[in-house]
């Protein structure tokens, strides 16, 4: 079954969620393909995906990596694979249902109908739409986005969002091998680089629901990378040229 869209889902120990998230995406009316990039999950996540590939041989794909190499490198790996396979729209999504698969068509529509080059599933463009997070984490995430906007000048409310759709021209233009960050700051760097190249970023309001099953991969060191990484990104941007892409 052909599709112009691939959903990249990085995994590490997501056996409780992986089958359900795959089936939820494939149940949508719009046809999406899925690429799982698994970082050597010891809980058998990749084995579950392999079993499902027999049921969805033309829609479900798997890349197995040797260990925990970081969120950013997992996405870069997936982006390159998706571009090589000819997909026109490449999505980022978490495996734990914090991103609702039902919102995928809304991100797709933002690109195909509203003219976005990057569609961002935003927690903060219409108030604060986060469910089941401790107040301290909500405040940290919200004010991190405020800080990023102040430093970078981006007009994006949810600068750290990880639920996105890219037109392929964005990923072809921004030079993926120059993306530096592997953790939380990766999401900021991707948006900032797209913004500097002049791509149109549209935020689509979503409700973000904290995971119910499995263990969160978030920690304070990831926030630290984002805090200082934003200053690095801004400084480096002064010495880099961003020629506008030719559509």
């Amino acid at each position: 079954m052909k599709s112009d869209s691939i959903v990249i889902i990085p995994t590490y120990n997501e056996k409780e969620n992986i089958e359900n998230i795959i089936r939820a995406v494939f149940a949508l009316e719009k046809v999406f393909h899925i690429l799982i990039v698994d970082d050597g999950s010891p809980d058998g996540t990749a084995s579950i995906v392999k079993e499902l590939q027999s049921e969805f041989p033309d829609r479900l794909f798997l890349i197995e990596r040797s260990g925990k190499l970081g969120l950013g490198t997992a996405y870069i790996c997936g982006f390159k694979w998706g571009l090589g396979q000819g997909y026109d729209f490449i999505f980022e999504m978490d495996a734990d249902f914090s991103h609702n698969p039902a919102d995928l068509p809304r991100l797709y529509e933002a690109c195909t109908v509203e003219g976005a080059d990057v569609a961002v599933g935003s927690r903060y463009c219409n108030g604060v739409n986060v469910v089941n997070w401790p107040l301290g984490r909500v405040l940290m995430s919200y004010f991190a986005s405020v800080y990023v906007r102040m430093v970078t000048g981006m007009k994006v409310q949810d600068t750290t969002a990880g639920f996105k759709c890219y037109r392929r021209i964005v990923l072809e233009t921004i030079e993926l091998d120059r993306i530096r960050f592997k953790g939380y700051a990766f999401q900021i760097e991707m948006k900032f680089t797209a913004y500097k190249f002049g791509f149109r970023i549209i935020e689509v309001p979503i409700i973000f629901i904290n995971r119910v099953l499995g263990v969160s991969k978030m920690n304070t060191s990831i926030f630290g990378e984002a805090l200082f990484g934003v200053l690095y990104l801004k400084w480096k941007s002064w010495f880099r040229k961003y020629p506008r892409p030719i559509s």
Side-chain angles (χ1 to χ4, degrees), residues 189-244:
E189 184 174 9
M190 288 294 294
K191 294 184 192 70
F192 180 64
T193 307
Y195 161 77
K196 292 293 290 183
F197 271 107
F199 287 110
R200 187 181 183 198
I201 302 173
I202 291 179
E203 292 185 87
V204 177
I206 64 164
I207 297 175
F208 180 96
I209 301 175
N210 194 32
R211 68 161 65 233
V212 175
L213 300 174
V215 178
S216 173
K217 314 305 186 297
M218 190 63 65
N219 57 56
T220 54
S221 66
I222 292 175
F223 279 105
E225 179 193 59
L227 178 67
F228 296 106
V230 173
L231 296 174
Y232 173 84
L233 289 176
K234 183 66 175 179
W235 177 73
K236 288 290 287 184
S237 73
W238 294 338
F239 307 98
R240 180 179 179 182
K241 293 181 179 179
Y242 298 88
R244 294 187 66 85

Side-chain angles (χ1 to χ4, degrees), residues 86-153:
Y87 291 98
D88 293 320
F89 301 93
I90 300 179
F91 294 73
E92 294 183 16
M93 190 174 76
D94 290 347
D96 60 6
F97 284 94
S98 56
H99 302 147
N100 187 345
D103 289 324
L104 286 169
R106 298 175 60 226
L107 296 180
Y108 179 78
E109 185 174 289
C111 288
T112 57
V113 177
E114 299 177 44
D117 297 306
V118 183
V120 177
S122 177
R123 298 162 291 185
Y124 306 131
C125 70
N126 188 19
V128 177
N129 293 302
V130 178
V131 178
N132 293 335
W133 260 9
L135 179 60
R137 185 168 174 186
V138 173
L139 293 174
M140 183 180 293
S141 175
Y142 178 80
F143 285 108
S145 280
V146 173
Y147 165 75
V148 173
R149 290 200 304 273
M150 290 175 60
V151 173
T152 64

Side-chain angles (χ1 to χ4, degrees), residues 1 26 33 51-61:
M1 192 178 298
F26 288 160
H33 290 179
E51 291 177 8
L52 290 169
Q53 283 184 302
S54 63
E55 185 176 348
F56 306 105
D58 300 321
R59 300 180 67 183
L60 179 60
F61 307 96

Side-chain angles (χ1 to χ4, degrees), residues 22-188:
I22 289 170
R23 292 191 181 279
V25 172
F26 288 160
L28 296 171
E29 183 176 351
K30 155 72 181 165
V31 176
F32 293 93
H33 290 179
I34 296 175
L35 171 65
I36 305 297
V37 182
D38 186 72
D39 272 5
S41 299
D43 72 345
T45 298
S47 296
I48 296 171
V49 176
K50 288 176 183 177
E51 291 177 8
L52 290 169
Q53 283 184 302
S54 63
E55 185 176 348
F56 306 105
D58 300 321
R59 300 180 67 183
L60 179 60
F61 307 96
L62 171 67
I63 294 175
E64 293 183 85
R65 305 202 302 171
S66 59
K68 214 173 175 185
L69 303 176
L71 179 72
T73 65
Y75 274 127
I76 296 297
C77 175
F79 293 157
K80 290 180 177 180
W81 187 92
L83 291 172
Q85 296 297 315
Y87 291 98
D88 293 320
F89 301 93
I90 300 179
F91 294 73
E92 294 183 16
M93 190 174 76
D94 290 347
D96 60 6
F97 284 94
S98 56
H99 302 147
N100 187 345
D103 289 324
L104 286 169
R106 298 175 60 226
L107 296 180
Y108 179 78
E109 185 174 289
C111 288
T112 57
V113 177
E114 299 177 44
D117 297 306
V118 183
V120 177
S122 177
R123 298 162 291 185
Y124 306 131
C125 70
N126 188 19
V128 177
N129 293 302
V130 178
V131 178
N132 293 335
W133 260 9
L135 179 60
R137 185 168 174 186
V138 173
L139 293 174
M140 183 180 293
S141 175
Y142 178 80
F143 285 108
S145 280
V146 173
Y147 165 75
V148 173
R149 290 200 304 273
M150 290 175 60
V151 173
T152 64
M154 283 194 293
K155 307 302 181 185
V156 177
Q157 296 297 310
D158 193 349
T159 58
T160 60
F163 192 19
K164 302 200 289 293
C165 174
Y166 299 93
R167 288 182 180 272
R168 68 176 292 119
I169 190 174
V170 178
L171 300 180
E172 289 173 333
T173 300
I174 64 177
E175 299 178 86
L176 294 173
D177 288 336
R178 294 184 66 169
I179 298 298
R180 175 179 184 270
F181 292 107
K182 298 180 180 180
Y184 199 60
F186 166 79
Q187 302 294 3
I188 302 168

